[in-house]
Amino acid sequence: MTHVCPHCQKRGVSNAALRWSTREGPAQCGYCAGLSHVLASTSSAIGVFTWMTLIGGLVLGLVLSSVAVAVAGFLVAGFGNVWMWRRCELFPTERKAARTAQRVGWAAALFAVVMALFG
């Protein structure tokens, strides 16, 4: 499955690239080589929905002693995850902004390690 690139408006961004796209590591379009990403809040919300539905279905299945309820929770989580990723919107990113975000990310990680070791 491919998604529409916000730069050239063609379906040139793969599903895997969409799922792993961030400001630091944007997805690249196969047609125009434009960079884009999904908002962090969107990908986080999809992850929270998926895990909460899985855990809720399993817990409810255990409480009610019903395999059908647990399987239903698993199916809802799976289909919901796919449906939400298909509806995600890509936002354009410039190469310079992506490189800057990557440097800031590494600097923040280095600062956290230094603070953990010496703080």
Side-chain angles (χ1 to χ4, degrees):
M1 184 174 150
T2 56
H3 300 271
V4 175
C5 172
H7 297 283
C8 66
Q9 300 302 313
K10 294 181 182 176
R11 291 192 163 273
V13 180
S14 72
N15 197 34
L18 171 86
R19 285 179 180 250
W20 294 104
S21 66
T22 62
R23 287 184 71 93
E24 298 87 17
Q28 187 170 6
C29 176
Y31 291 108
C32 70
L35 301 178
S36 55
H37 70 284
V38 174
L39 293 179
S41 59
T42 301
S43 60
S44 296
I46 293 171
V48 168
F49 164 80
T50 303
W51 283 107
M52 294 300 291
T53 307
L54 280 173
I55 292 169
L58 289 174
V59 168
L60 194 57
L62 287 173
V63 168
L64 298 175
S65 300
S66 173
V67 175
V69 172
V71 170
F74 181 76
L75 291 173
V76 168
F79 286 121
N81 184 291
V82 170
W83 179 77
M84 286 187 275
W85 277 112
R86 284 185 178 178
R87 295 179 49 96
C88 279
E89 184 178 355
L90 286 165
F91 292 90
T93 302
E94 294 179 14
R95 291 188 189 284
K96 184 177 178 182
R99 284 193 301 267
T100 302
Q102 193 174 33
R103 286 188 202 120
V104 170
W106 280 108
L110 179 63
F111 180 73
V113 168
V114 169
M115 290 303 293
L117 293 174
F118 304 110

